[in-house]
Structure formats: structure tokens, C-alpha cells
Amino acid sequence: MPMTLRLTPAETEALRETARRERRYMHEVAREAISSYVTNRARRREELLARIVAEDAELLQRLGRM
């Protein structure tokens, strides 16, 4: 789906320079960055939830019995 992404001049230059160094289009670099962010954010959320469940297992069991 087409969209407009508004970047600051510094962000645009950083994206342009990254794309130039990698010999890729700016939109490819931006899409990969978004995909990486979304994937890493979901993975990090799952890791944090698993940690909470493990650390608070006893408390969660007690709450479940109420």
C-alpha cells in the first residue's frame, strides 16, 4: 500500500547514505528497517512476558485460585 513517510533532513540524509553504501534503493532500506523493528519488538515482548511469567509463577498460581 502506498504511503508518505516524512523524514527530517538528517534522517533523509542518513537513509540516502546507507542506501548508497549498500547500493540499494532508499525504499528497500526503509522497508527492511521497519520489518526489523516490528519483528524485534514482537520478539522482545514475548521474551519479557515469558520472564514475568517465570519470575511471578507462584503469584500467578495464587491469583488463579481466587
Side-chain angles (χ1 to χ4, degrees), residues 28-38:
E28 291 175 327
V29 175
R31 288 180 61 201
E32 183 178 318
I34 292 167
S35 178
S36 177
Y37 173 82
V38 169

Side-chain angles (χ1 to χ4, degrees), residues 8-60:
T8 65
E11 292 166 337
T12 300
E13 185 54 36
L15 180 58
R16 181 178 287 117
E17 180 58 25
T18 299
R20 184 195 65 73
R21 275 195 324 269
E22 296 180 5
R23 294 187 172 104
R24 299 168 59 197
Y25 293 108
M26 288 172 57
H27 74 269
E28 291 175 327
V29 175
R31 288 180 61 201
E32 183 178 318
I34 292 167
S35 178
S36 177
Y37 173 82
V38 169
T39 301
N40 289 337
R41 185 172 171 87
R43 180 184 48 77
R44 181 73 175 137
R45 179 183 176 275
E46 293 303 317
E47 288 172 356
L48 290 171
L49 286 173
R51 188 172 121 203
I52 290 168
V53 168
E55 289 177 0
D56 296 329
E58 182 183 337
L59 173 62
L60 292 171

